[in-house]
Amino acid sequence: MGGPKTLDDVEPFLLNLFADRELLRLPFQDVLGRFIAKRRSPKVRALYDAIGGGSPILHWSNTQGQGLIERLDALSPETAPHKFYVSFRYVAPFSDDAVLAMKADGITRAVALSMYPQYSCTTTGSSLNELWRALDRHGLRDAFQWSLIDRWPTHPGFVRSVAQQVREGLKQYAPSERDNVLLMFSAHSLPLSVIERGDAYPQEVGATVERVMEVLGARNPHMLTYQSEVGPVRWLGPSTETMIRRLASDKRKNVLVVPVAFTSDHIETLSEVDIEYGELAHELGLHGFKRAPSLNDSPMFLDALADLVHTHMQSGQAHHTRYREKCPGCRNPSCRTMPTAVVEPALVRAVA
Ligand code: FES
């Protein structure tokens, strides 16, 4: 999705977001989407102001991209040098910027790597659809040989990296309390209409959580909750906020929020969890409410990203087997397509 770099980017970001029918379907979307975006803009500006005047997601995306290619060059010298391009959905650099830069740099082979570990048609699916549309807009559909890493919810290195961040987060508590801290894995919510269409997201987020708990030895109580609901539709729950209220009323003392579907800090961690939910928890007497650090530039996570891409290139797979399985309720002809110049498995093996 990206995030507004400056406060002046907030309204255009929201207008693009609420106009995206692959993310969110609203009645009379052109009118209602603009109305919601404009009405929310001052409030959202204030939120970005409180976290330093903009989203750090471009900084973290560039840091992760650089860490990834440095490691990949070492792991796979035969396909080096590698380059990375950041492609956001609602704010620059857009897919158009990325594909034009790739063409200018003489790139011919490309791996589209979703930075969402768990697949949803609203996030990874929508972003890939937009990437392919950007190729068409610039006459570049046949310019690159593509393969996809569209989901990686149980990649062992990713799972170990999240477990490591949980251990770091637990250090904020006294050693005698750590085993009883409730781990609240919090993921971005989705409209229920998306789930009812057949979206794989809740299963994949659940799979990540269970693997992380296995790595941790499952000593701590844990739950999976969903945050960031907005707009007049029904959302996947249980909501993080509702659970904070319930845990406080149950006199629970220590709760560690673990961002499980975000790979770097942005407004949902720095503002929504740390400030909004943090203040709520303290008002309600839940004084041991804390958050595990985001993955950001964790060396273990950067190693995991490099392994993910390296293993993918060696596998010869053009995409995950599930990529071609459309949601049973999907009526969008743009979904799950690939450019015609997709890398064939045999060709990838020859390169690897
Ligand atoms: Fe899921 Fe189209 S909405 S494949």
Side-chain angles (χ1 to χ4, degrees):
M1 287 190 189
K5 239 185 325 202
T6 68
L7 298 183
D8 287 342
D9 295 330
V10 170
E11 188 169 312
F13 173 82
L14 291 177
L15 285 168
N16 284 338
L17 188 150
F18 281 100
D20 182 5
R21 292 180 66 76
E22 290 177 343
L23 174 75
L24 190 66
R25 282 186 174 255
L26 299 169
F28 310 107
Q29 186 139 2
D30 288 351
V31 177
L32 187 55
R34 278 189 77 78
F35 174 76
I36 295 173
K38 285 192 166 286
R39 203 183 56 174
R40 282 185 61 80
S41 178
K43 184 180 168 213
V44 177
R45 264 182 89 108
L47 299 179
Y48 277 105
D49 206 15
I51 62 166
S55 170
I57 195 164
L58 182 59
H59 163 76
W60 287 125
S61 300
N62 282 325
T63 302
Q64 291 171 344
Q66 188 61 36
L68 161 61
I69 60 165
E70 284 169 7
R71 287 161 172 80
L72 199 54
D73 283 353
L75 280 174
S76 180
E78 64 277 15
T79 55
H82 303 91
K83 287 181 72 96
F84 74 96
Y85 301 82
V86 174
S87 164
F88 286 158
R89 189 73 182 78
Y90 306 122
V91 68
F94 294 102
S95 298
D96 301 70
D97 303 311
V99 298
L100 288 173
M102 287 162 59
K103 181 65 182 166
D105 289 346
I107 301 295
T108 55
R109 166 74 170 95
V111 178
L113 165 62
S114 173
M115 291 306 292
Y116 301 104
Q118 301 91 7
Y119 190 94
S120 167
C121 291
T122 59
T123 53
T124 296
S126 153
S127 299
L128 290 172
N129 296 349
E130 176 59 15
L131 179 59
W132 310 147
R133 286 192 290 263
L135 292 172
D136 286 339
R137 281 196 288 273
H138 300 287
L140 295 175
R141 178 154 276 257
D142 296 325
F144 314 104
Q145 295 175 324
W146 287 98
S147 61
L148 308 181
I149 303 177
D150 57 295
R151 68 196 73 205
W152 34 288
T154 56
H155 179 272
F158 165 59
V159 168
R160 279 196 302 275
S161 306
V162 177
Q164 179 60 26
Q165 301 309 88
V166 174
R167 290 191 194 100
E168 283 300 314
L170 287 171
K171 289 180 185 166
Q172 299 170 84
Y173 301 91
S176 60
E177 295 184 327
R178 287 179 194 161
D179 285 355
N180 290 319
V181 174
L182 186 141
L183 305 180
M184 179 184 271
F185 291 89
S186 185
H188 202 293
S189 188
L190 286 183
L192 272 186
S193 57
V194 173
I195 310 299
E196 285 161 0
R197 202 166 56 197
D199 203 275
Y201 179 77
Q203 306 154 30
E204 298 201 0
V205 176
T208 302
V209 171
E210 292 314 308
R211 294 287 174 89
V212 170
M213 291 308 297
E214 280 169 23
V215 169
L216 287 170
R219 283 195 304 268
N220 295 76
H222 73 283
M223 62 167 61
L224 170 57
T225 61
Y226 294 91
Q227 64 180 90
S228 317
E229 308 89 340
V230 62
V233 295
R234 293 181 307 136
W235 289 81
L236 174 65
S239 100
T240 303
E241 180 181 333
T242 303
M243 287 301 114
I244 290 169
R245 292 181 186 280
R246 184 157 311 163
L247 291 167
S249 76
D250 289 348
K251 306 289 180 229
R252 172 71 65 169
K253 190 173 153 213
N254 294 326
V255 173
L256 181 70
V257 176
V258 182
V260 69
F262 308 119
T263 54
S264 63
D265 272 323
H266 50 303
I267 197 159
E268 285 85 352
T269 53
L270 300 173
S271 173
E272 192 174 5
V273 174
D274 293 354
I275 300 176
E276 188 183 331
Y277 296 157
E279 287 175 356
L280 173 70
H282 284 274
E283 274 167 26
L284 297 172
L286 212 169
H287 296 297
F289 180 89
K290 300 182 190 300
R291 177 173 68 85
S294 295
L295 292 167
N296 294 340
D297 59 352
S298 142
M300 189 183 277
F301 178 58
L302 299 180
D303 288 346
L305 284 179
D307 176 69
L308 175 69
V309 177
H310 185 223
T311 306
H312 164 78
M313 292 197 303
Q314 286 189 313
S315 76
Q317 279 195 322
H319 51 73
H320 192 280
T321 47
R322 291 202 71 187
Y323 180 68
R324 288 296 198 181
E325 292 170 26
K326 290 180 80 152
C327 300
C330 175
R331 298 288 175 269
N332 182 354
S334 301
C335 286
R336 315 295 178 106
T337 58
M338 291 278 292
T340 50
V342 63
V343 172
E344 295 300 334
L347 176 57
V348 180
R349 280 197 200 96
V351 172

